[in-house]
Structure formats: C-alpha cells, structure tokens
Amino acid sequence: MWIRAYSSLWMLASVSLIIYLGHLYIWAMVVVIQIFMASELFNLLRRATQDKRLPKFKFLNWHYFFTAMLFVYGRILSQQLVNTVTSDKFLYRFVSNLIKYQMVICYFLYIAGFVWFILSLKKRYYKYQFGQYAWTHMILIVVFTQSAFTVANIFAGIFWFLFPASLIAMNDVGAYFFGFYFGRTPLIKLSPKKTWEGFIGASVATMIAAFTFANFLGRFQWLTCPRKDLATGWLQCDPDPIFKPDYIPLPGLISHWLPWKEIAVLPVQWDALWMGLFASIIAPFGGFFASGFKRAFKIKDFGDSIPGHGGFTDRMDCQMVMAVFVYIYHQSFVVGQDYSVETLLDQIMRNLGSEEQLSLYTKLGQILQERRL
C-alpha cells in the first residue's frame, strides 16, 4: 500500500514538472511511455527457448516500432517541424523534401522489415515466428493509435491532454473511494472488486469535477494555446472563444443570499461535461478490457516498471480510450477548419515550382486589384 502511494506521488510530481516544461517535453514523455508499453506487450508472447535459437528475430519488433513512429509522428507534426526551420533556407528545403517523401521512406523501411522477416524464417519455428509477426502488428495498432491522438491533443493545447487525463485519474480515485465505503453490488466479473456503487458514485463525482476543473484549467493561457512549432517555452496567444468567460446572472432568489450577482462560466465547461460523461461511463471499459486480457494470459500485471502499479500498460488502459475520444470530439465539435496563412504558404512552397509560384503571385495581384484592395 505504501509502495503504491509513494509511486503515485513520484509519478504526480514527475508529470507535473514535465507539463510545466511544455509541449515538447510532454511529447517526449509520451514517446518514453510508448517504448515501455511496447516492450511490456512484446514480452507477453516471447518464449526464451525460441528466442535463443532466433537471436536477431526480436530486433525485428523494434524495427517495425521505430518505422511506425517515423510514419505517425511525421504525419502529425510535419507542419510544426516546417514552422521550426522556416528561417533557415537549407534546413527548410531539406525538411520539406523529407516530409514530401516521408511516406515512401517509411514504406520501404516496412518492406525491408518484411524481407528481413521472410529471410529469418526457420523450420520448426514457423508458427512462433508468424505469431510474433501478427502480435507485433497488433501492438503497433494499439500503441500508436492511442499515442498519435494523444500527441495531436498535446499540440492542440496542453489543456486537451491534461484535462482528460486528470478526469481518468479522478474517476479512478472516486471509484475506489465509493467502492471501498459503499460498495456492495458486483459490477462485472472481469473485475471482481468493481461495484455498482463505486461506478455510479465515481460517475457523479467525475461530472462535477469536470465542470469545475475545466473552469480552473481554462484560465491558464499557456495551457490553452496550440503549439505550431517544436520550440520550447510557454506560449501566449489570444484565447480561443471557448476559453473566454460568459457571465450568467443568478436568479434573484439565489443572488439574494450570495455576495455575487452573476457567475463566470467558460464555454469549454459544457464540453467538459461530455468528456466527464465519457471518462466515467465508457473509458472504464478500457480497464475491463485490460483485465480480461490479463486473465487470458494468466498474468497479474503487464510489467513491473512502476512499483505498486504494475507496468505502464496497466496505467494507460483507460487513457488510451479517452485520448481517441477527446481528439475526435475536439476535431468534430470544437475546432473549425484551419486555413491559416502559414499553412497555405507552406503548401504553396512545397508543392508549386518557381514558375507556378510566380504565376500564382501575378494572378493574386490581379484579383486584389480588381477588388481594389
């Protein structure tokens, strides 16, 4: 119990420091967590006797892992990378070409791994090797789906990473508290310690916490600004309208007994209610899935990287489900179409030749003259 408590405090302090440092450090933390998760999952189906006779085969897992990392982050952070090197003409051209041919590079890296796999096949180990090959691809889908959306959320604004992650933690604490003191009715056979009382109590508490905590976090500008490059340091920006308070007057009966006549509500607080609902009702099923998975493999934890908590995969089960939802919700209901000047210029510089750029410049000038701008 004490080991778990100390580990929790250590994790809280470490994550708080990393969040304070900014977007780039949070991304680095996500990459480290990815590596630990992949290692824990790779080891689940490994057999020491087969691995001894296939000494180089296990490196194939990591070849595919880093190829997937190059592909996923190259697609997600291409614009941030270009914005970072815009001032240097050589680096700008180099990075632009690298991004342009990134898909080709990743494809041939994957094909190299495929050929490597075929050449490494050994008689009497076909079933084991093909099982590892399929298992590796499933791990990459699980790990990179979650982390890709997580990183996209981070660069959209630390708020969209920190807030949903906090909701999952709050829901876990609430479920433990209500389950410990009021739990009587079992919730699901996969997790015998989970109770309906804990589930319902945590859901109500999470919804309340979501509404109030969003108001608190939404007032810190450096948490809400999107990062458009890969630089470090805090950001300053004009707050998005969802982070600007609306003042709602209180009914006369209530304001008569209170020192204030109106309350400030951030529009994002209404979005927070949907995220709180998902974190309390749907996200726990990520934990149930992980419990069933561990039962299938007859293991207690995915690893022992975190004393008292198991492995990183044990801590990230619900977070994986939540990160995907927040990204989809943010893109569907919060953010509009982003046609910024920087984005359009980057597309023009990377995809049009010199003559085409000059032709575009001439035509744009004619249009502006016609409009008398």
Side-chain angles (χ1 to χ4, degrees):
M1 181 66 180
W2 286 109
I3 294 176
R4 186 182 179 92
Y6 284 131
S7 293
S8 299
L9 290 174
W10 175 81
M11 284 192 295
L12 180 62
S14 300
V15 172
S16 299
L17 175 61
I18 291 170
I19 289 172
Y20 177 81
L21 292 173
H23 302 72
L24 205 60
Y25 293 92
I26 302 172
W27 174 35
M29 177 185 70
V30 171
V31 171
V32 171
I33 292 173
Q34 271 186 282
I35 293 172
F36 273 100
M37 287 178 63
S39 178
E40 291 166 0
L41 293 171
F42 284 152
N43 289 331
L44 275 183
L45 286 186
R46 280 205 180 125
R47 297 174 187 171
T49 53
Q50 280 88 339
D51 282 344
K52 285 181 181 179
R53 296 180 181 273
L54 302 165
K56 297 181 181 179
F57 185 72
K58 63 181 179 181
F59 294 109
L60 185 61
N61 295 337
W62 292 107
H63 170 81
Y64 279 124
F65 177 86
F66 287 109
T67 299
M69 181 179 288
L70 178 63
F71 177 76
V72 169
Y73 291 141
R75 304 295 288 180
I76 293 175
L77 301 178
S78 59
Q79 188 60 52
Q80 284 84 353
L81 184 58
V82 168
N83 291 342
T84 305
V85 300
T86 302
S87 58
D88 189 302
K89 186 178 292 185
F90 172 78
L91 280 178
Y92 179 80
R93 288 181 178 176
F94 174 76
V95 169
S96 296
N97 287 325
L98 187 64
I99 291 171
K100 183 178 181 179
Y101 299 110
Q102 179 240 4
M103 188 177 292
V104 175
I105 294 169
C106 292
Y107 174 74
F108 280 104
L109 283 173
Y110 179 85
I111 290 299
F114 177 73
V115 173
W116 179 3
F117 169 72
I118 297 299
L119 295 176
S120 68
L121 289 172
K122 285 190 177 182
K123 196 174 182 179
R124 293 187 297 173
Y125 296 99
Y126 292 158
K127 185 176 181 180
Y128 174 74
Q129 288 179 284
F130 275 100
Q132 284 287 317
Y133 187 79
W135 180 239
T136 297
H137 283 70
M138 194 192 87
I139 291 170
L140 295 180
I141 291 171
V142 170
V143 172
F144 279 100
T145 298
Q146 174 263 334
S147 58
F149 288 120
T150 300
V151 172
N153 292 340
I154 291 167
F155 282 87
I158 296 175
F159 176 92
W160 301 104
F161 163 78
L162 178 59
F163 179 71
S166 301
L167 290 184
I168 295 295
M170 292 174 187
N171 188 255
D172 283 345
V173 172
Y176 176 81
F177 175 83
F178 286 101
F180 183 82
Y181 287 102
F182 308 106
R184 296 291 184 273
T185 312
L187 175 63
I188 189 169
K189 290 182 180 180
L190 286 173
S191 296
K193 294 183 180 180
K194 305 289 185 182
T195 63
W196 274 105
E197 290 80 5
F199 184 76
I200 295 171
S203 299
V204 174
T206 302
M207 293 292 290
I208 296 171
F211 190 77
T212 54
F213 194 52
N215 187 290
F216 173 74
L217 288 184
R219 295 178 183 276
F220 292 92
Q221 192 178 94
W222 63 278
L223 290 176
T224 62
C225 295
R227 178 109 246 174
K228 296 184 179 180
D229 55 28
L230 297 180
T232 57
W234 286 14
L235 291 173
Q236 289 185 346
C237 62
D238 182 29
D240 190 278
I242 63 171
F243 295 109
K244 294 179 180 179
D246 293 329
Y247 294 93
I248 302 175
L250 293 173
L253 185 63
I254 297 176
S255 61
H256 178 74
W257 300 99
L258 296 175
W260 53 84
K261 305 300 181 184
E262 58 185 12
I263 58 172
V265 176
L266 304 181
V268 75
Q269 289 180 255
W270 307 115
D271 299 304
L273 289 176
W274 290 108
M275 287 186 275
L277 187 66
F278 189 92
S280 56
I281 304 296
I282 306 299
F285 281 85
F288 301 150
F289 177 86
S291 296
F293 197 85
K294 287 185 283 188
R295 284 175 175 269
F297 283 88
K298 298 179 180 179
I299 56 174
K300 184 178 183 293
D301 296 310
F302 284 103
D304 56 2
S305 308
I306 310 172
H309 289 269
F312 278 89
T313 311
D314 295 284
R315 293 296 90 206
M316 297 301 295
D317 46 15
C318 299
Q319 297 286 1
M320 288 191 285
V321 180
M322 189 68 187
V324 178
F325 169 76
V326 171
Y327 175 82
I328 294 172
Y329 183 90
H330 180 260
Q331 293 297 314
S332 301
F333 302 107
V334 177
V335 70
Q337 291 291 331
D338 183 16
Y339 295 118
S340 65
V341 174
E342 293 83 1
T343 302
L344 293 174
L345 281 176
D346 175 64
Q347 292 295 320
I348 292 168
M349 296 298 291
R350 285 201 286 132
N351 296 307
L352 297 181
S354 299
E355 293 184 1
E356 292 172 315
Q357 292 176 22
L358 185 59
S359 175
L360 176 64
Y361 173 79
T362 304
K363 289 180 180 179
L364 183 60
Q366 292 172 353
I367 292 171
L368 293 177
Q369 283 182 348
E370 291 172 2
R371 294 181 180 179
R372 296 180 181 178
L373 294 177

